[in-house]
Amino acid sequence: MSLRLQPVQVATGSNDAESQLVFEDGFLVAVLVHLSDEHEGDAGKWYLEAGFGRVDSPDPPKFADLNEAQAWINQRLS
Amino acid sequence: MLPPAGRVKATLVSASSSDLIPLVRKLESITQLTGEERQALESLPAAIRLMQPRQDIVRDKDRPEHCCLVLSGWTYRYKLLSEGKRQILSFHPPGDLPDLQSLHLHVMDHNLATLTACRLAFIPHEAFRDLTNRFPGLGAALWRDTLVDAAIFREWMTGIGRRTAFGRIAHLFCEMYLKLHSVGLATSHRCELPFTQVDIGDALGLSNVHVNRVLQEMRGKGLITLQGSRLVIVDWGALSEAGEFDPTYLHLRAGETA
């Protein structure tokens, strides 16, 4: 399954702004936010700010990089 | 049974008459006790154990024969879901009897653990039964305590279901401060809250990312300072307003408000 990423700024009310919209076949399935320095040990990770449909999670994960995030999203969609 | 020695690094010593004073303070924060009742509480037989942080005291499906009284440190109730997901149900500072219900509900339906290093008193169920037979007023006091416990759950359910992340954390801070204040363990809007951001998230249904953002925002707005586990509520009015905090549900005796 191929995902398409689109860079975007998200107003999270914090310093976490750099983000990616994640599309599958033209449908928005997730919003990933790059965690800023204020998250200390988690800084630099990508956080599932929002997931839609099967990508929704009550316990949203953090990923070391965008490849790991996309693999997880693909797994949820498969 | 007491927690097996193999489960926790624990030291067992006998209680002295002053050890159980936190229980007296706790019950006196929600009801009035006579001198005789106070003395009966302080004379309860108890085994004192020192436990390390993050150790289970009693587990789901256990059949405890003692109630655990927190003398120092913090404990918490929790449930575990699949993939290790944890829901924290409540936090318990000194004076609380977090598994009092085991007196009547014989099988544990959740876990109870230490959050910090703790000094705990294990009081045999039999001693509690004897106490409440001899002193019906103490039976009523313990009943009142379990009713307040239920009121706190109603408030948490309302928060998790309907409050914003900011409101939930504000509400938690107000509640924890007032609980500590009511038993003489906090004053001037300052207290020790040894919770990690993950603990707060697991209690309030939030990710630690959201907890961290909210704490930064609270600091930025000048509502709190938080250094390590030292919480100072700088602006009680604004924080309690943000959490829609109304202390009625704690049913503290008159004068026990911030």
Side-chain angles (χ1 to χ4, degrees), chain B residues 221-236:
Chain B
K221 287 182 169 172
L223 301 188
I224 62 162
T225 64
L226 188 58
Q227 288 176 325
S229 60
R230 185 81 174 144
L231 172 73
V232 179
I233 301 176
V234 179
D235 189 338
W236 174 270

Side-chain angles (χ1 to χ4, degrees), chain B residues 54 76 78-81 84-88 198-199 202:
Chain B
R54 311 274 171 187
Y76 68 105
Y78 71 99
K79 286 188 85 86
L80 277 183
L81 299 178
K85 289 177 203 160
R86 178 182 67 158
Q87 177 66 45
I88 291 182
V198 172
D199 294 330
D202 284 356

Side-chain angles (χ1 to χ4, degrees), chain A:
Chain A
M1 229 174 291
S2 74
L3 300 176
R4 184 172 64 80
L5 300 183
Q6 180 184 321
V8 69
Q9 299 280 304
V10 171
T12 62
S14 70
N15 289 335
D16 309 329
E18 181 197 348
S19 305
Q20 296 280 346
L21 301 180
V22 185
F23 294 91
E24 187 223 14
D25 292 338
F27 287 90
L28 180 64
V29 292
V31 180
L32 296 167
V33 171
H34 201 209
L35 296 178
S36 64
D37 288 345
E38 68 188 28
H39 293 281
E40 296 177 356
D42 287 330
K45 291 183 183 172
W46 290 85
Y47 173 67
L48 182 74
E49 189 73 34
F52 303 99
R54 292 163 77 168
V55 184
D56 186 22
S57 169
D59 196 17
K62 290 166 286 215
F63 306 100
D65 54 44
L66 286 172
N67 286 337
E68 190 182 306
Q70 289 180 87
W72 184 86
I73 292 169
N74 268 324
Q75 195 184 17
R76 298 289 289 221
L77 292 171
S78 64

Side-chain angles (χ1 to χ4, degrees), chain B residues 20-42 135 137-142 253:
Chain B
L20 304 189
I21 285 175
L23 177 58
V24 174
R25 280 203 200 106
K26 168 61 197 273
L27 292 180
E28 286 192 319
S29 74
I30 55 168
T31 194
Q32 199 162 8
L33 302 177
T34 66
E36 262 194 323
E37 288 169 338
R38 270 198 296 275
Q39 200 173 9
L41 282 170
E42 288 174 24
F135 296 94
L138 286 177
L142 294 172
R253 290 171 72 197

